[in-house]
Amino acid sequence: MPIAENISKHNFKSFLWHAVFLAFAQNFMDVDTVIPAMVIEAGGNSFHVGIMAAIMMGGSSFTQLFFAPVLSNVPFKKRYLLAGINLRIISLFALALILYLFATNSNVSILWILFLLISIFSFSGAFTNISYIDILGKSISKVKRKSFFSTRQIVGGVIILSTAFLAKQVLSSSSFPQNYSIMFLIGGAALLFASFGFWNIKETEPSGTKISGLKNFVHNMIHELKSNKKLIYFLGFINTQGIIISFIPFVMLYAKETFHTQASDTGLFLLFKVIGVVSMSLIVLVYSKKLKYNSLLYINAIISITLAVMILFIPNAAWLKWVFILGGFAVSLYMITLNGVLLEISGNENRALYTGLVGAGNIIPTIFPLISGSVISKLGYPFFYILFILIVSTSFFFIHKLRCKN
């Protein structure tokens, strides 16, 4: 068997190891349900949820712009990947410790400390993602990427599904902030085990583009935008469909304020979202050879709009499970298509540059949560949902222009 094929299979196992334990960790640090619920429990309102969503969704992607010039100059990125993951692990353990130590203090007093630690967790994730995408692109061939992403979603979803009841039990076993302290402690430990997969990665193929300073980086970005029209349309796609990631935290707030949901309900919402993620990932895996990325993008836009329309008309809390299942569909499709299309329009030489550029172009997903907080507080939820529908609707134009071959 060729050496390159052996290394590819070895790296595949390493990525799979990481996916398994990362999936376990995600149950206890879920950015759509657990973390926004924690902010609400700590006394946060729509403004605070907006800041949190801006940091974790759009803001973390935007910071990739600052990391990309450095990492583009590095031919081998494994150590930077591990450094970012380790910083995420430390921030989770710190969150657990702070929540435990401040258990007797007022909720508001710890809110901004939590934001600081969440920022470290999110921005280190952005730093990690550039190296992750680059190494992944060198390890898995184009023809296998779509099936890989859907398989990873399924494996991760099954793990999350099997442990969702544990997460629900932890949240309901004690009151705030002890329950969330335990959640982040378990999440940090699981992420630590997930990092062991990347310690075994064999990165033998160099990649990157030499960039000397900010001026050269800006010049390279302008050149890529001019020479690759698909990159422009891809930026349009992430700025319109990308807001689905920061939409679900506001659904959590809506459920809390409208239907008076409790901490134990957060575990149920997480479970329903995971059911949606696993179901959609399985469908994509089965039909991966027949479904092109463009079809998946259209389907996701339709699901996202349907999701917002449904919330406008649900009569009671019993309907929320369908909202989170649909949310799982949308999140699953977005993550599969986001990474898949990015890898399709980039190459080994410019992949880190593209990842940083995509992060910099993540403008609307960055400001959408901040605007949403103000819209909700001043105009109410119906206007927020209408705004979401209008933005997602514009994604149809960019999807049509992308015309992905795979």
Side-chain angles (χ1 to χ4, degrees):
M1 185 178 292
I3 294 175
E5 189 174 345
N6 272 330
I7 292 173
S8 179
K9 288 186 176 181
H10 174 86
N11 285 351
F12 181 85
K13 292 178 181 177
S14 297
F15 276 106
L16 186 60
W17 171 281
H18 178 264
V20 168
F21 283 98
L22 177 63
F24 186 88
Q26 284 175 337
N27 246 345
F28 300 91
M29 57 185 193
D30 187 76
V31 298
D32 296 327
T33 55
V34 173
I35 292 182
M38 177 199 67
V39 172
I40 296 168
E41 289 286 343
N45 52 32
S46 61
F47 171 73
H48 298 108
V49 172
I51 293 177
M52 183 278 305
I55 292 171
M56 298 200 71
M57 315 304 181
S60 61
S61 297
F62 186 81
T63 54
Q64 290 179 146
L65 171 66
F66 304 103
F67 301 137
V70 177
L71 294 175
S72 287
N73 287 324
V74 180
F76 299 101
K77 302 177 177 63
K78 175 180 173 178
R79 60 175 177 163
Y80 296 93
L81 174 66
L82 291 172
I85 292 175
N86 290 336
L87 192 56
R88 301 195 98 196
I89 294 168
I90 292 171
S91 63
L92 284 176
F93 284 142
L95 274 167
L97 180 63
I98 291 297
L99 285 168
Y100 175 79
L101 293 177
F102 283 77
T104 57
N105 286 33
S106 63
N107 291 337
V108 177
S109 66
I110 65 171
L111 193 56
W112 295 109
I113 300 176
L114 298 180
F115 276 130
L116 174 62
L117 293 173
I118 289 172
S119 299
I120 295 173
F121 175 80
S122 300
F123 297 155
S124 57
F127 180 80
T128 301
N129 188 58
I130 296 176
S131 299
Y132 176 85
I133 292 294
D134 184 73
I135 297 173
L136 181 65
K138 293 184 291 188
S139 300
I140 299 176
S141 63
K142 289 184 178 181
V143 295
K144 294 183 178 180
R145 285 172 186 166
K146 196 185 300 176
S147 59
F148 168 78
F149 288 127
S150 54
T151 301
R152 185 184 65 177
Q153 292 274 59
I154 291 171
V155 171
V158 169
I159 299 296
I160 293 175
L161 192 59
S162 62
T163 57
F165 294 100
L166 175 60
K168 179 179 181 298
Q169 185 62 34
V170 171
L171 284 170
S172 58
S173 62
S174 56
S175 59
F176 178 87
Q178 291 93 338
N179 52 353
Y180 285 94
S181 176
I182 298 171
M183 290 284 283
F184 292 126
L185 181 63
I186 297 174
L191 191 57
L192 176 61
F193 278 99
S195 70
F196 294 160
F198 288 140
W199 283 99
N200 291 321
I201 286 243
K202 294 180 180 179
E203 190 183 10
T204 59
E205 184 181 352
S207 60
T209 301
K210 274 292 178 184
I211 296 176
S212 54
L214 181 61
K215 184 178 180 180
N216 182 235
F217 179 61
V218 173
H219 173 77
N220 285 346
M221 285 197 302
I222 294 174
H223 172 74
E224 292 294 340
L225 286 169
K226 287 181 178 179
S227 61
N228 189 353
K229 295 298 182 183
K230 282 192 174 183
L231 179 58
I232 297 176
Y233 300 132
F234 182 66
L235 290 174
F237 150 68
I238 64 172
N239 272 282
T240 50
Q241 276 199 22
I243 62 173
I244 185 62
I245 302 296
S246 57
F247 179 73
I248 296 179
F250 289 101
V251 178
M252 291 291 299
L253 183 64
Y254 176 77
K256 176 79 173 179
E257 294 183 348
T258 306
F259 300 112
H260 309 292
T261 56
Q262 304 301 315
S264 58
D265 296 316
T266 302
L268 282 174
F269 297 152
L270 175 62
L271 177 61
F272 291 132
K273 192 194 94 169
V274 171
I275 290 173
V277 169
V278 175
S279 301
M280 182 54 67
S281 300
L282 183 59
I283 292 171
V284 174
L285 177 62
V286 172
Y287 296 100
S288 61
K289 294 183 179 180
K290 296 181 180 179
L291 288 172
K292 294 185 180 296
Y293 282 120
N294 265 52
S295 299
L296 296 177
L297 296 175
Y298 279 124
I299 293 170
N300 196 23
I302 293 170
I303 290 175
S304 299
I305 293 171
T306 303
L307 172 64
V309 172
M310 176 184 287
I311 300 173
L312 280 169
F313 296 103
I314 56 174
N316 52 59
W319 283 82
L320 286 172
K321 62 181 178 182
W322 300 109
V323 169
F324 283 95
I325 289 174
L326 273 182
F329 286 170
V331 169
S332 176
L333 278 176
Y334 179 72
M335 296 311 297
I336 291 172
T337 53
L338 173 67
N339 292 324
V341 176
L342 175 58
L343 290 174
E344 181 173 317
I345 66 173
S346 64
N348 282 351
E349 297 78 17
N350 57 19
R351 189 169 293 121
L353 174 66
Y354 272 39
T355 306
L357 182 57
V358 167
N362 225 345
I363 299 171
I364 295 179
T366 301
I367 64 175
F368 177 74
L370 299 175
I371 295 174
S372 299
S374 299
V375 169
I376 291 171
S377 62
K378 294 180 180 180
L379 301 175
Y381 284 100
F383 286 92
F384 164 65
Y385 296 134
I386 292 171
L387 175 64
F388 174 81
I389 291 170
L390 290 175
I391 294 174
V392 173
S393 296
T394 60
S395 69
F396 288 108
F397 168 78
F398 300 108
I399 297 169
H400 173 70
K401 290 292 185 178
L402 266 173
R403 298 192 179 105
C404 297
K405 295 180 180 178
N406 295 317

